[in-house]
Each structure stands twice: as structure tokens, then as C-alpha cells.
């Protein structure tokens, strides 16, 4: 429990600093356009890496593909591409993944 | 003046509402997942109150679920938060009229308020009231959703109800609309390859997210340079 509070406190400080530093110190400076582009791509890379870690699960020292997770992600991806609606796409992805898990895999 | 403020508040509420629903769905996912990594109801909600960062919080619980340590989580969150520097720099002029309240408003610098406020500032100029209302709506939605997600998560078997699927599905739904242009797609594909290599080398690798987050954007930069020089 103490570790959780330390984690929360540390994350709160780190996150707030990243917000206030941008406003207080970077507002009147010209940032290198290359660095700006780099920062734009960082969230894409991190979210993708997280997805890979969720789809390929370490089991007994080996990586195993989780088909229900993969299918649910595909369904959500196709749904949001077609409908542009976040919430229904998430719900649909979860339902299809659940159905796959219980009926197919 | 008062009429103008009322109009600003109304506009902010109308424009923030659809996103607030999406944020609530995202917050529910966080709440459920946090309970799965043994957070209590109090610490789950406390993280939302004090951190208020969807990506940072979801990454934290996902990494903890994978057995990551505090240092690894912190480094990843710092990397993830780097974009806040850009958001802050871009929004600074628009919220500057708030003067001493600017430091409080800084707490609301996240993805969604950035998107809405930057469009608003472009249209009408600096408008800290708009930013404050939008950020407050998202903050409240996020905290309540985390609370209800934690309540539900504590009482349900996540596997049985497919709640463990919420995290990858939420990120897929967030990732896909942004996959436009060769540099972004190149970054994502490189991230897939890098992450797979790192996980293949050591399943459950703690450095996968950090290294992928640092290296894959370089490929995006490279593609951007090639396409803009072509």
C-alpha cells in the first residue's frame, strides 16, 4: 500500500512538472522542428508497443499469441475506422473478443 | 462580459461532452485494470485525482500487471509525458490571461483539452475560461469513471466478463484514427517489429516500452525527411 502511494506521488509530480514546464519555460522559445516531430511520434510508438505486449503474452518463457485479444483489437480498429465512434467500437471489440474466447478458442 | 462568459461556458460544455463520454469509458477501463493489479478503491481514485493522465495511468497499471518495477514505470511515464511539454508550449499564450491561475490550469494540460483548446484559441484567441471548463469536465468525468470502474472491477471476474480486453481494445481504438501518413505508419510498424524483437529476446521485457518509445519515432523522422525531400 505504501508503495502505491509512493508511486502515485512520484507520477503526480512527474506529470505535473511536464505540464507546467511546457507552459512556464518553453512558451517563448523556438523549439527545433525535428524535436517537435519526434515528440509527435512518441505516443504512437508507445501505444503500439503496449498493444504488442498485450497481444503476445509471455507464457512459460515463450511468447504466445492471444487470439481473442488480437481479434478484439482488429474489430475495434475496423469499427472506429468505419464509424469514427470511440465508445461503440470499444464495446464491440470487447464483446467480439469475449465471444471468441468462450466459443472458439 | 458576463454574457460572454456564459456563452464561453456553454460552448465549452457542448464541445467537451462527446469527448467526456469517451474519457469516461477510458476511465472505467483504468478503474477495472487498477483493481486487477491490487490497487484499492482509494488508491485507484487517488491516482486519478492527483495524476489525471489517462495514458500515464493505463500504462502504469499495464506495466505493473506485467511485473514492472517503479523505476521502469516512472521512466516510461516521463517518456510518455514528453508531449506535455509541447502541449504546454502551444497552449501557453491562450491561457496566459489567467495570470496566477495559470499554474492551476496547467494541471489540465492533456491530450483532449489540448485538441479542443488549440482549435478554440485559433478561432477566438486566448480563452482561459474555455480551457478551464473543458479541463474541469474531463477531470470530473475521469475521476467518477475511475471510481465506478474500480467498483465494478472489484466485483467481477475480469476474464469471464472480458474486462481484461478493455485495455488493448481501448488503445487500438485510440491508435488507429491517428495512423495517417507514411511517417506515423512507419513509426507504428517499426514499433511492432521492435517490440516483438525485444519481447522475443526476453518475454516480459521491462525495457520493451521504453526502448520502442525512444527508437521507433526515429524511423518516423527518417521517413518524414525522405518524403519531404522527395
Amino acid at each position: 500500500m505504501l508503495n502505491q502511494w509512493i508511486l502515485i506521488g512520484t507520477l503526480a509530480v512527474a506529470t505535473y512538472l511536464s505540464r507546467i514546464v511546457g507552459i512556464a519555460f518553453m512558451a517563448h522559445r523556438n523549439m527545433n522542428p525535428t524535436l517537435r516531430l519526434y515528440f509527435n511520434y512518441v505516443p504512437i510508438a508507445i501505444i503500439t508497443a503496449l498493444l504488442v505486449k498485450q497481444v503476445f503474452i509471455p507464457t512459460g518463457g515463450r511468447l504466445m499469441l492471444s487470439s481473442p485479444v488480437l481479434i478484439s483489437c482488429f474489430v475495434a480498429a475496423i469499427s472506429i475506422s468505419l464509424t469514427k465512434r470511440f465508445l461503440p467500437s470499444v464495446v464491440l471489440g470487447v464483446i467480439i473478443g469475449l465471444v471468441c474466447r468462450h466459443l472458439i478458442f | 462580459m458576463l454574457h460572454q462568459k456564459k456563452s464561453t461556458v456553454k460552448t465549452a460544455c457542448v464541445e467537451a461532452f462527446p469527448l467526456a463520454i469517451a474519457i469516461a469509458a477510458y476511465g472505467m477501463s483504468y478503474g477495472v485494470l487498477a483493481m486487477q493489479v491490487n490497487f484499492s478503491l482509494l488508491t485507484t481514485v487517488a491516482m486519478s485525482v492527483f495524476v489525471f493522465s489517462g495514458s500515464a495511468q493505463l500504462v502504469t497499471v499495464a506495466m505493473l500487471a506485467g511485473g514492472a518495477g517503479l523505476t521502469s514505470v516512472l521512466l516510461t511515464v516521463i517518456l510518455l509525458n514528453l508531449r506535455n511539454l509541447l502541449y504546454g508550449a502551444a497552449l501557453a499564450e491562450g491561457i496566459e490571461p489567467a495570470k496566477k491561475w495559470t499554474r492551476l490550469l496547467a494541471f489540465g494540460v492533456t491530450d483532449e483539452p489540448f485538441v479542443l483548446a488549440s482549435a478554440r484559441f485559433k478561432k477566438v484567441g486566448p480563452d482561459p475560461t474555455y480551457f478551464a471548463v473543458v479541463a474541469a469536465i474531463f477531470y470530473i468525468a475521469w475521476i467518477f469513471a475511475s471510481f465506478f470502474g474500480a467498483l465494478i472491477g472489484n466485483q467481477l471476474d475480469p476474464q469471464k466478463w472480458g474486462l481484461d480486453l478493455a485495455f488493448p481494445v481501448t488503445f487500438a481504438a485510440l491508435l488507429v484514427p491517428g495512423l495517417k501518413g507514411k511517417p506515423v505508419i512507419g513509426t507504428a510498424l517499426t514499433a511492432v517489429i521492435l517490440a516483438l524483437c525485444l519481447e522475443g529476446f526476453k518475454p516480459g521485457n521491462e525495457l520493451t516500452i521504453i526502448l520502442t518509445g525512444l527508437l521507433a519515432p526515429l524511423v518516423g523522422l527518417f521517413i518524414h525527411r525522405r518524403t519531404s525531400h522527395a
Side-chain angles (χ1 to χ4, degrees):
Chain A
M1 184 64 110
L2 179 65
N3 279 347
Q4 287 177 2
W5 285 107
I6 292 169
L7 179 71
I8 291 166
T10 315
L11 292 183
V13 171
T15 305
Y16 182 72
L17 281 177
S18 74
R19 290 164 171 161
I20 194 70
V21 165
I23 290 175
F25 298 109
M26 294 176 73
H28 304 295
R29 294 179 189 186
N30 289 327
M31 182 181 277
N32 183 332
T34 308
L35 195 61
R36 187 184 296 265
L37 260 181
Y38 176 84
F39 284 160
N40 277 342
Y41 301 144
V42 165
I44 298 281
I46 288 180
I47 292 173
T48 306
L50 278 165
L51 271 173
V52 169
K53 279 178 82 82
Q54 294 284 319
V55 173
F56 294 90
I57 301 160
T59 312
R62 292 180 63 192
L63 275 189
M64 297 290 286
L65 172 74
S66 170
S67 302
V69 175
L70 184 65
I71 290 167
S72 62
C73 288
F74 263 122
V75 169
I78 293 165
S79 171
I80 200 152
S81 299
L82 296 174
T83 65
K84 316 281 180 213
R85 296 177 72 190
F86 178 82
L87 192 56
S89 301
V90 170
V91 172
L92 184 68
V94 170
I95 290 170
I96 297 292
L98 195 57
V99 169
C100 287
R101 177 178 286 162
H102 289 291
L103 299 182
I104 303 170
F105 300 103
Chain B
M1 187 72 174
L2 187 67
H3 176 72
Q4 197 183 352
K5 281 224 166 178
K6 273 187 181 174
S7 165
T8 301
V9 171
K10 192 181 166 189
T11 307
C13 290
V14 169
E15 291 179 358
F17 183 69
L19 268 177
I21 293 173
I23 285 169
Y26 199 29
M28 291 271 288
S29 302
Y30 156 74
V32 169
L33 291 160
M35 296 302 277
Q36 286 180 44
V37 289
N38 298 323
F39 270 63
S40 66
L41 183 62
L42 181 65
T43 50
T44 298
V45 176
M47 194 191 271
S48 289
V49 170
F50 296 115
V51 180
F52 180 44
S53 171
S55 51
Q57 289 175 235
L58 271 166
V59 164
T60 299
V61 291
M63 287 184 77
L64 291 176
L70 187 111
T71 312
S72 184
V73 170
L74 185 63
L75 284 173
T76 307
V77 168
I78 287 172
L79 192 63
L80 206 57
N81 282 339
L82 286 177
R83 69 189 190 286
N84 287 340
L85 299 174
L86 293 178
Y87 293 168
L91 293 174
E93 211 176 276
I95 59 175
E96 210 174 16
K99 289 176 185 155
K100 62 179 179 180
W101 295 102
T102 304
R103 284 180 187 177
L104 181 65
L105 291 184
F107 188 69
V109 175
T110 60
D111 299 321
E112 295 82 5
F114 170 75
V115 172
L116 290 182
S118 50
R120 172 80 175 177
F121 297 163
K122 202 175 172 184
K123 206 159 58 181
V124 303
D127 193 349
T129 307
Y130 178 88
F131 182 82
V133 174
V134 163
I137 289 170
F138 292 158
Y139 187 53
I140 292 164
W142 180 249
I143 291 169
F144 275 95
S146 306
F147 174 73
F148 286 113
L151 274 184
I152 292 168
N154 204 21
Q155 292 168 15
L156 295 175
D157 175 7
Q159 288 259 331
K160 187 181 173 190
W161 293 94
L163 296 174
D164 61 313
L165 297 167
F167 172 70
V169 170
T170 299
F171 272 125
L174 281 172
L175 179 71
V176 168
L179 292 178
K180 285 172 188 159
K182 285 179 185 173
V184 171
I185 293 169
T187 302
L189 287 175
T190 308
V192 170
I193 295 164
L194 264 176
L196 275 175
C197 288
L198 289 163
E199 286 294 302
F201 176 69
K202 186 192 169 198
N205 197 335
E206 280 188 19
L207 295 174
T208 299
I209 294 163
I210 299 171
L211 289 178
T212 307
L214 276 172
L215 298 176
L218 296 175
V219 174
L221 281 181
F222 175 73
I223 296 170
H224 177 82
R225 284 202 170 177
R226 280 196 65 172
T227 48
S228 54
H229 284 113

